[in-house]
Amino acid sequence: MGKMKRIILNSLLLVTLMFSITSISYVAPTKVFAATSTTSKPKLTSTKKTLYKGYKSYSLSFNNLSKAAKVSYKSSNSKIAKVDSTGKVTPLAKGTATITATVKQNNETYSLKAYITVKDPYIKFTATTKELKLNETFTFKANTYGISDKISWSVSDEKIASIDSSTGKVKAKAGGEVTVTAKAGKYKKTYKLTIGKLTAEGIYKKCSPSTVEIIAKYDNEYLNSQGSGFFIDKGVVVTNYHVIEGSTNIVITTSNNKKYKVNKILGYDKELDIAILSIPTNNTSLVINKKGAKVGEVIYALGSPFGLTGTLTEGIVSSASRILDGANFMQISASISQGNSGGPLINAYGEVIGINTLTYYDGQNINFSLNIAQLDKVDTSKPLTMTEYAEKYKSELIEELYEEQIIVEDDALSTSMETCQTIPIGFCAIGSTETPDNLIDYYKITLETPGILHLALSSSSLFLKGDIMSLSFTLLNKDGTIAYQSTLYKDDDEDMDEYAMWIIDTELPAGDYYLEVKLDSNYKDGTNSYFVFYSED
């Protein structure tokens, strides 16, 4: 009996457990379909977006958008940004456009707007510096916007600074200014970097090898001028025109004491007082800075005052611009003297900013340097050999002198009374005699009415050097007989150099007369130059 009860109880327990398990297995879970049954309003995940012309497209996305929703798109300006049926926006041109997404969901219609700005791709610096000391380093950094290419780095002058093309790390090597360039594809961004200014010692070390001394002579014998100059390219020297004006032989001495004859004048401008010469040599050249200067800026003058080659003086810019005789000068306080003409005016970075030209001797430190930017005005399209220049100069000089009432001797005419030139009243004549072949020159004088005639023969002037005592001066009649013999006038004033001239001062009847200028055949120095002055009472 007890055994039967246990069996019955166990059976009841099993049935109970079975019903319990069956009940648990029929409890169904609740399913939530958010995308299909949401009642929230749809929204764009972003309503403002910046894109870059020709770069990546952008796809609009939403929050609270049901799977059953229907969406259409439209651009307010498809020339700037177009949109396709999937919501992909493509940037086409710089500007702004509004993309409107029309959403139909849960029996509602929603108009959602995305404001698109399209920019040109660009590079932006994120780490820069304006100045570096010598041997100092700095790493430039930049980001690209709308550009897939990587940035590469460069500098405008590797003599002044070097840069790692991949990292942007700059090392300062010499004084001056360089441009740092970040480039990605066809886009670039630049930044000005100043390397520490040079000391006077640094200026001399950098610039003196490019500075020269110039000796200009007439007829390879008479010193015409001594000045300075500087290289701007291989074999190309800049100087003042007045340093070489009228010369037939120009010798340039470089810093290593080598001498070169100028073979060509590449160009010159008398009004600007600039000449560009050519010599057969390789050399270091100075860097030209045409941006001008600021008042108070430290500058240096380098040249050969009184033949003292390689002289360096320091000063400041007293005035950035002075217009003198139509040319643009900088007024400077750096000392310049005779012989500095044509030398470079240099800024604190070792760059040429001017051509040292003139000084006010009655002032103190009032000196002037031509602005180097005027170098571009010199015509170099018709270079001249020295022979061609001498012929051109002589022709131009004769025209100019005649306007100033000066006659220049014509060697082909002056050897004969029959062919000689006439000296008009109030004019003077310039000429020369030479041993052994050209001992006598003639000139014709015509007295329209009887009167007192004044003639003077001199061999002393700024440009003409001769020996007056080796010359004789005689007035002849038409038949060659002597009309009047000159007398010597000599002034030995202790306050002036000895000065002498032959004088003809006499009253004569009207008629034609001839001046005879005769050189002593024993004269040893070759050419003897002279002036003849003519006037009447």
Side-chain angles (χ1 to χ4, degrees):
M1 184 69 179
K3 185 176 180 181
M4 182 61 74
K5 288 181 177 179
R6 286 194 296 273
I7 292 173
I8 294 170
L9 289 171
N10 287 336
S11 297
L12 290 170
L13 179 60
L14 178 61
V15 172
T16 302
L17 288 172
M18 289 176 63
F19 275 100
S20 298
I21 291 172
T22 302
S23 298
I24 293 173
S25 65
Y26 275 93
V27 176
T30 301
K31 296 181 180 179
V32 178
F33 298 101
T36 58
S37 61
T38 180
T39 58
S40 299
K41 293 181 180 181
K43 294 181 179 180
L44 287 168
T45 55
S46 177
T47 58
K48 292 182 179 181
K49 190 68 177 178
T50 298
L51 304 177
Y52 298 92
K53 184 178 71 174
Y55 193 52
K56 297 177 180 179
S57 59
Y58 169 70
S59 293
L60 298 174
S61 60
F62 300 84
N63 291 326
N64 304 324
L65 185 69
S66 72
K67 289 183 178 179
K70 294 183 178 180
V71 185
S72 60
Y73 303 90
K74 185 178 181 180
S75 172
S76 65
N77 192 334
S78 59
K79 292 183 179 180
I80 292 175
K82 69 178 182 178
V83 62
D84 65 11
S85 60
T86 66
K88 185 174 74 173
V89 180
T90 302
L92 300 176
K94 184 179 179 181
T96 59
T98 301
I99 305 298
T100 301
T102 302
V103 180
K104 293 183 179 181
Q105 178 175 298
N106 298 332
N107 297 320
E108 297 285 345
T109 300
Y110 303 93
S111 181
L112 309 178
K113 297 184 184 298
Y115 301 96
I116 305 298
T117 299
V118 180
K119 295 183 177 180
D120 288 328
Y122 67 98
I123 300 171
K124 181 180 180 181
F125 283 104
T126 57
T128 59
T129 184
K130 292 182 178 180
E131 294 183 355
L132 283 178
K133 297 178 181 178
L134 290 178
N135 299 316
E136 192 175 10
T137 61
F138 180 83
T139 300
F140 280 79
K141 295 181 180 180
N143 290 333
T144 60
Y145 297 86
I147 306 169
S148 57
D149 299 279
K150 290 184 178 180
I151 291 176
S152 63
W153 298 88
S154 63
V155 291
S156 58
D157 192 338
E158 293 184 350
K159 294 179 181 179
I160 296 175
S162 61
I163 192 168
D164 188 304
S165 62
S166 59
T167 66
K169 185 177 181 179
V170 175
K171 182 177 181 180
K173 296 165 63 176
E177 289 186 343
V178 294
T179 300
V180 177
T181 300
K183 185 177 181 182
K186 64 180 181 179
Y187 301 96
K188 65 180 180 179
K189 184 75 173 179
T190 60
Y191 198 89
K192 291 291 185 181
L193 173 63
T194 300
I195 308 299
K197 296 178 180 179
L198 297 175
T199 62
E201 182 181 0
I203 290 290
Y204 186 81
K205 183 178 180 180
K206 179 179 180 180
C207 301
S208 61
S210 303
T211 307
V212 302
E213 181 177 283
I214 299 174
I215 299 295
K217 293 183 176 181
Y218 176 74
D219 281 346
N220 299 324
E221 181 177 357
Y222 300 106
L223 178 64
N224 200 8
S225 181
Q226 178 266 318
S228 305
F230 55 94
F231 287 108
I232 60 168
D233 203 345
K234 289 185 178 181
V236 179
V237 175
V238 170
T239 188
N240 283 132
Y241 176 69
H242 75 256
V243 171
I244 62 106
E245 183 177 9
S247 301
T248 57
N249 180 49
I250 304 171
V251 176
I252 290 178
T253 304
T254 57
S255 62
N256 58 2
N257 208 33
K258 289 186 177 181
K259 299 182 184 298
Y260 299 88
K261 275 192 174 183
V262 171
N263 49 28
K264 280 188 179 181
I265 297 177
L266 300 179
Y268 66 90
D269 191 306
K270 187 174 182 179
E271 301 303 320
L272 291 175
D273 200 6
I274 299 174
I276 305 174
L277 315 176
S278 175
I279 58 175
T281 181
N282 292 326
N283 50 270
T284 58
S285 304
L286 293 180
V287 176
I288 292 176
N289 185 333
K290 299 177 183 178
K291 297 179 181 179
K294 297 178 181 179
V295 173
E297 181 178 339
V298 175
I299 44 82
Y300 302 86
L302 191 56
S304 302
F306 299 104
L308 300 172
T309 304
T311 297
L312 179 72
T313 58
E314 181 179 359
I316 64 169
V317 176
S318 304
S319 175
S321 179
R322 298 278 191 204
I323 305 301
L324 304 175
D325 295 328
N328 189 6
F329 287 84
M330 288 172 283
Q331 182 182 332
I332 60 173
S333 66
S335 176
I336 60 174
S337 304
Q338 184 177 340
N340 271 115
S341 291
L345 184 70
I346 302 165
N347 65 15
Y349 305 106
E351 302 167 325
V352 180
I353 59 173
I355 306 169
N356 300 321
T357 302
L358 58 91
T359 183
Y360 280 179
Y361 285 108
D362 293 334
Q364 292 183 344
N365 298 326
I366 303 177
N367 307 306
F368 297 90
S369 183
L370 275 165
N371 191 314
I372 194 66
Q374 293 171 111
L375 188 62
D376 292 338
K377 297 180 181 180
V378 179
D379 183 6
T380 57
S381 63
K382 298 178 181 178
L384 300 171
T385 64
M386 288 304 301
T387 300
E388 290 170 338
Y389 167 72
E391 292 174 353
K392 180 181 179 183
Y393 177 79
K394 183 177 180 180
S395 175
E396 292 174 347
L397 180 63
I398 289 173
E399 292 180 7
E400 292 177 9
L401 290 177
Y402 195 84
E403 292 178 1
E404 299 294 329
Q405 297 185 316
I406 298 175
I407 298 294
V408 178
E409 177 201 1
D410 187 333
D411 293 334
L413 304 176
S414 62
T415 56
S416 167
M417 291 174 61
E418 286 75 21
T419 60
C420 66
Q421 297 160 277
T422 297
I423 303 178
I425 186 171
F427 276 63
C428 69
I430 300 174
S432 64
T433 51
E434 185 176 5
T435 56
D437 301 322
N438 182 24
L439 298 178
I440 301 176
D441 288 338
Y442 294 99
Y443 297 93
K444 184 178 180 180
I445 297 291
T446 298
L447 285 176
E448 299 293 342
T449 58
I452 298 176
L453 179 146
H454 304 284
L455 292 165
L457 177 73
S458 172
S459 62
S460 177
S461 75
L462 181 60
F463 300 105
L464 302 178
K465 300 299 179 183
D467 180 6
I468 189 66
M469 304 308 295
S470 296
L471 293 170
S472 62
F473 189 39
T474 307
L475 185 65
L476 304 177
N477 294 307
K478 286 192 295 184
D479 59 4
T481 59
I482 297 176
Y484 193 85
Q485 186 68 53
S486 64
T487 57
L488 182 66
Y489 169 82
K490 190 175 182 181
D491 190 338
D492 289 322
D493 191 305
E494 62 180 4
D495 293 328
M496 61 184 296
D497 294 335
E498 184 178 272
Y499 183 82
M501 65 176 67
W502 292 104
I503 299 294
I504 293 176
D505 193 0
T506 184
E507 185 173 358
L508 294 169
D512 293 334
Y513 299 89
Y514 294 86
L515 297 175
E516 180 189 74
V517 181
K518 187 174 182 180
L519 178 64
D520 188 334
S521 61
N522 294 319
Y523 183 66
K524 303 297 184 183
D525 294 332
T527 302
N528 200 341
S529 302
Y530 59 82
F531 274 99
V532 176
F533 302 91
Y534 167 43
S535 63
E536 294 179 14
D537 284 344

